[in-house]
Amino acid sequence: MTRKTSDDDLALFFEAGQSADLPDALRARILTDAAASIAQPAAPSWRARMKAWAGGWAMPSVAGGVGATLAGVYLGLVMPVSLYDAPVWMDGALGVFEQVTAPIVGVRDPLEMGF
Amino acid sequence: MLSQQDEADLLAQFAQGDLRAAQALTDLLAPRLLRFAARMLGDRAEAEDVTQDTMLRLWRMAPDWEAGQAKPSTWAFRVARNLCTDRLRRRKPMVPEMPDLPDDTAGADARMMQAARAQALDAALAQLPDRQREAVILRHIEGLSNPEIAAILMVGVEAVESLTARGKRKLTALLSGRKEELGYDAEDI
């Protein structure tokens, strides 16, 4: 007859295998790690990092949007006004604009071009 | 054994700086992780390294832990299992060492017998295929539920049931001849 170990006997073996304790030295090392983790400022989570990244882009985005809007207003509304009807500051601004565009596109004075 | 909520609460307390919660989690998880790693690796020193590394990852992950995730113990066993697998891939399999089993209350004879039984169990476990060994240890020694084991091993619950059943059958065959020698009564079957 083949002798077999029953489930109950296996349970006794399993019970015998459960009795290992945690060595004090290892426990101390683990708790030292835990204390160090508490002492250190926690690394920001990925959500916090994403929020910071988005926040970092918010200010340049707003500034860029405002700049683009002003440039659009200037080019679309202010520039077509006759130089003689424009305020002095605008004349100066057009002068600067000309300095930039003339070497590039060859336009010296929009009024001379018939605009 | 603590519930998922209890374990998560302890982890949340630790994340807020409560070192007593860390002590409670260490006493709860580390001995089980150590036993598991020792049986998987067959090397006590490596098992201690794996246990410490797993707990360190738990501490680091604590601030990001979200309610509703798996139990912290399930997460820790999965990490420990992956660390053991990494180490096993880097070396040939060894016969497991017997974990030290200090027990001040038992007499010397009882301690020796208990150690011999655990050693027989370890030797038998070492002969099981890796996944059967993992499933049997987690189910019958660490007392995890089948769904928890399924989450750790990343298989279905039915696969866990099959692995533990086959593992137990093989263990039964391996240990059948050692029952009387190890002090278990011979009245059976």
Side-chain angles (χ1 to χ4, degrees):
Chain A
M1 183 178 81
T2 306
R3 168 163 263 167
K4 291 184 177 177
T5 305
S6 69
D7 272 2
D8 285 347
D9 294 327
L10 262 188
L12 291 171
F13 277 105
F14 290 141
E15 193 179 317
Q18 288 174 339
S19 56
D21 285 339
L22 187 66
D24 290 341
L26 176 59
R27 186 176 187 275
R29 290 206 307 268
I30 290 170
L31 291 176
T32 302
D33 288 343
S37 299
I38 287 176
Q40 285 174 2
S45 69
W46 67 272
R47 285 187 181 175
R49 282 196 293 268
M50 289 299 290
K51 194 179 278 186
W53 182 79
W57 279 100
M59 192 61 77
S61 298
V62 169
V66 169
T69 303
L70 287 175
V73 168
Y74 180 79
L75 292 173
L77 299 176
V78 177
M79 255 189 67
V81 175
S82 162
L83 185 61
Y84 301 107
D85 297 332
V88 176
W89 66 265
M90 198 177 289
D91 187 26
L94 274 174
V96 173
F97 183 75
E98 268 188 3
Q99 284 179 359
V100 174
T101 56
I104 301 171
V105 295
V107 177
R108 296 196 58 77
D109 184 344
L111 294 176
E112 287 177 4
M113 299 292 292
F115 292 124
Chain B
M1 200 166 295
L2 294 181
S3 69
Q4 176 170 348
Q5 189 57 46
D6 293 337
E7 290 184 11
D9 287 347
L10 281 174
L11 202 54
Q13 288 167 24
F14 166 72
Q16 289 167 3
D18 185 352
L19 206 53
R20 283 172 307 175
Q23 291 169 352
L25 278 170
T26 300
D27 293 337
L28 174 74
L29 295 178
R32 301 168 68 199
L33 293 171
L34 179 61
R35 280 197 304 250
F36 175 71
R39 291 200 163 92
M40 291 304 299
L41 295 169
D43 183 288
R44 180 77 178 187
E46 277 197 284
E48 291 192 5
D49 288 346
V50 164
T51 303
Q52 186 179 0
D53 198 0
T54 303
M55 294 303 292
L56 179 59
R57 290 172 191 226
L58 185 68
W59 306 142
R60 287 179 177 163
M61 181 276 313
D64 295 331
W65 186 265
E66 291 177 13
Q69 287 186 341
K71 277 174 88 169
S73 58
T74 306
W75 182 92
F77 270 113
R78 185 189 285 189
V79 170
R81 183 224 181 203
N82 289 341
L83 291 172
C84 288
T85 302
D86 288 345
R87 285 170 182 259
L88 286 170
R89 281 186 187 138
R90 292 200 292 263
R91 63 172 165 83
K92 291 181 177 178
M94 300 165 62
V95 175
E97 276 179 14
M98 176 57 210
D100 298 332
L101 300 168
D103 181 359
D104 296 335
T105 57
D109 289 347
R111 280 205 306 274
M112 284 177 64
M113 183 60 77
Q114 186 83 345
R117 289 170 181 173
Q119 205 156 23
L121 175 66
D122 287 344
L125 282 169
Q127 295 181 52
L128 298 184
D130 287 347
R131 293 173 76 78
Q132 285 181 26
R133 182 164 72 246
E134 289 170 339
V136 168
I137 292 171
L138 292 172
R139 181 76 188 93
H140 293 289
I141 299 178
E142 301 309 332
L144 272 59
S145 68
N146 284 344
E148 286 174 321
I149 299 169
I152 292 166
L153 302 185
M154 289 179 280
V155 297
V157 173
E158 288 173 2
V160 171
E161 289 168 356
S162 169
L163 286 168
T164 48
R166 280 183 283 147
K168 277 182 72 178
R169 268 202 301 276
K170 190 160 183 185
L171 273 184
T172 300
L174 289 167
L175 294 170
S176 62
R178 306 199 57 189
K179 224 174 53 164
E180 288 176 49
E181 164 198 345
L182 294 169
Y184 294 126
D185 290 336
E187 55 196 37
D188 55 316
I189 320 178

